[in-house]
Amino acid sequence: MRMMSGKPTEKTLIARVDTMKVTRWHWQLVMLCMVGIAIENFDMTAIALAMPVIARSWELPPSMIGVLLSGSSLGLLIGASVFGTLSDSIGRKKTFILTTVVYSLFVGLSAFAQDFTQLYIARVLAGIGLGGFIPVASAYVSEFAPVKVRGRFMGIFTIGNGIGYCLAVIASMVLVSAMSEGWRWVFAIGAVGFLIIPAVIKLLPESVRWLMGKGRNEEALQVVEQVEQRALGQIIVPHEIALLEVKELSKQSSQASVKRSGGYSRIFSRELLRKSILAAILWFVSGYTFYGFIQWMPTFLTKEMGYTLTAGYTFTLLAAAVGTGTPGIACGFSSDYLGRRLTLTICMLAYAVSGFFFLWFGGWWILPLYWFSSAMTSQLYIYSPELFPTAVRGTGLGFASSIGRVAGFLAPIVIGYLVQDYGLAGVISVNGVLLTIGVLVVWVMGTETKGNAQTQAQSF
């Protein structure tokens, strides 16, 4: 077995994860997380796609459509805040499993709703699990991906968003269009999240960074050795040498983690306040312009632009297919070469411009609209985890994404009134203003994390 130069310390344990060559195990990890986020996005999208039929069947006015669409976002707000912090407390793996159970259960139960109130409550409760899953899974991939390919791995992880969206559209085309209450079957399919739990238990270890942030260095060493054995077929540093050093460091690192970990008090401290505000603004812009606007898209196509339900689903499916995979991969490579801020800027400006082209020319302009909206979201997943140190990464991501959920909660309601008073032009104009504000904030408050991503990701 070959030896690493220098003594094994906290940082070399992290380095053993960060500098590991990409192996089959890494692909299994990112693919499993990608499947999880695909199921999550399937469930979030299903309500939007079913809404034209539900609204017609239950005779809902636009304002009530907005309220129902916002139900999931209300749950997402609660879930992101609660489970993001919980992942910093009980660990990434346990929270991953817990959020999956919650959203799978209540998405499945929403299939049995008999009226507006029952469906709204079920979607709120499902949203709690859905909102908690996103920051936990994002932190998980970021903390295990080798540093040289971290941007690309986070980009690949976000492909799950597009896959989930495409599957939801296909399920809706087959079931919602063909059956009077086919939307119930679409919701029932969303409960398949239960099926990934055994694989999570078997394949995913606890985060090394989280364990070390809690002073549990010996457990962290065990995880590193298990990962090396599984991925590389050998342990890089002899166990006896690494264990001796880890034991000597355990007490010191445990005390340090107590001093440094502080949940919300730390992310609002002078050290991180600027980054917390930056992340919150970016997630608000994304939550409004993506989750709010895109949820309305099937309704826009059928009510505002005159397409039939089948045609609306077809356009949505084509757009989702074009926006699946390539945005995340493109953003991953771009952020590793051009940088995180420039890539995010390009995505947000292009999304704003394509919205106006969609307004003016309709139809096929939905393709670049979806592509750049997906790219913006993918880039936000890449950039956000690197803004926060390990000890509060879940809390920071949970806080930022919960602000995004506030926007996602408000957007469908606000858009409902905008459509009534100003039509689609008013909706597109507000989107453009918010995206422009987001770009300005990135350059006024943001820092580039590409060059120092490794150091930042290692900090506790």
Side-chain angles (χ1 to χ4, degrees), residues 39 100-106 108 190-199:
I39 298 171
T100 303
V101 169
V102 171
Y103 77 67
S104 299
L105 174 63
F106 288 106
V192 298
F194 283 116
L195 300 179
I196 72 169
I197 293 176

Side-chain angles (χ1 to χ4, degrees), residues 392-404:
V392 290
R393 182 167 291 132
T395 301
L397 290 174
F399 163 70
S401 59
S402 69
I403 297 300

Side-chain angles (χ1 to χ4, degrees), residues 107-341:
V107 166
L109 289 176
S110 68
F112 300 97
Q114 296 302 310
D115 56 33
F116 175 92
T117 302
Q118 291 180 7
L119 182 56
Y120 183 82
I121 292 173
R123 296 305 303 187
V124 170
L125 294 174
I128 292 175
L130 294 169
F133 178 85
I134 295 172
V136 173
S138 300
Y140 205 103
V141 176
S142 179
E143 291 173 2
F144 268 110
V147 68
K148 289 184 178 180
V149 295
R150 185 165 293 145
R152 277 162 278 183
F153 261 55
M154 289 300 294
I156 292 170
F157 161 67
T158 64
I159 293 174
N161 280 315
I163 292 174
Y165 199 103
C166 285
L167 292 176
V169 175
I170 293 171
S172 298
M173 291 179 70
V174 173
L175 297 173
V176 176
S177 300
M179 304 167 61
S180 61
E181 294 197 336
W183 59 270
R184 297 185 185 276
W185 289 100
V186 176
F187 290 166
I189 292 171
V192 298
F194 283 116
L195 300 179
I196 72 169
I197 293 176
V200 172
I201 294 172
K202 179 179 179 180
L203 293 176
L204 301 188
E206 184 52 81
S207 166
V208 174
R209 287 181 171 83
W210 181 83
L211 289 170
M212 295 184 71
K214 293 296 182 181
R216 294 160 59 177
N217 294 332
E218 292 187 38
E219 293 178 60
L221 174 60
Q222 291 176 2
V223 171
V224 171
E225 291 180 342
Q226 290 169 2
V227 170
E228 288 178 343
Q229 191 65 54
R230 181 180 295 177
L232 305 175
Q234 62 175 344
I235 296 172
I236 300 303
V237 177
H239 177 75
E240 295 77 13
I241 297 175
L243 181 61
L244 180 63
E245 186 72 13
V246 162
K247 284 183 176 180
E248 293 176 355
L249 290 170
S250 288
K251 185 176 181 180
Q252 178 183 355
S253 63
S254 179
Q255 293 173 344
S257 69
V258 171
K259 292 179 182 178
R260 291 175 178 175
S261 60
Y264 280 93
S265 63
R266 187 174 177 193
I267 67 171
F268 295 137
S269 67
R270 181 176 298 182
E271 172 198 5
L272 295 175
L273 181 59
R274 185 186 183 95
K275 294 177 180 178
S276 298
I277 294 174
L278 166 67
I281 292 173
L282 292 177
W283 277 87
F284 183 92
V285 171
S286 174
Y288 184 98
T289 62
F290 181 78
Y291 291 108
F293 178 60
I294 296 301
Q295 280 191 92
W296 267 92
M297 187 58 67
T299 305
F300 285 150
L301 289 168
T302 54
K303 284 195 171 184
E304 297 296 315
M305 306 187 83
Y307 293 102
T308 65
L309 183 62
T310 301
Y313 281 155
T314 300
F315 271 118
T316 304
L317 176 59
L318 290 172
V322 170
T324 296
T326 52
I329 295 173
C331 285
F333 276 96
S334 177
S335 62
D336 281 340
Y337 290 99
L338 297 180
R340 276 46 166 171
R341 288 198 302 173

Side-chain angles (χ1 to χ4, degrees), residues 70-83:
S70 71
S72 294
S73 295
L74 176 60
L76 291 168
L77 162 62
I78 299 170
S81 178
V82 171
F83 285 114

Side-chain angles (χ1 to χ4, degrees), residues 340-410:
R340 276 46 166 171
R341 288 198 302 173
L342 180 56
T343 302
L344 182 57
T345 297
I346 294 171
C347 293
M348 296 179 83
L349 289 178
Y351 180 27
V353 171
S354 62
F356 286 100
F357 278 100
F358 174 70
L359 171 66
W360 296 329
F361 303 110
W364 295 105
W365 280 97
I366 195 176
L367 301 183
L369 180 72
Y370 264 70
W371 198 96
F372 286 110
S373 68
S374 298
M376 174 193 67
T377 306
S378 297
Q379 187 60 22
L380 204 55
Y381 280 114
I382 295 170
Y383 187 41
S384 298
E386 296 176 348
L387 295 174
F388 301 100
T390 301
V392 290
R393 182 167 291 132
T395 301
L397 290 174
F399 163 70
S401 59
S402 69
I403 297 300
R405 302 315 175 190
V406 171
F409 169 72
L410 295 174

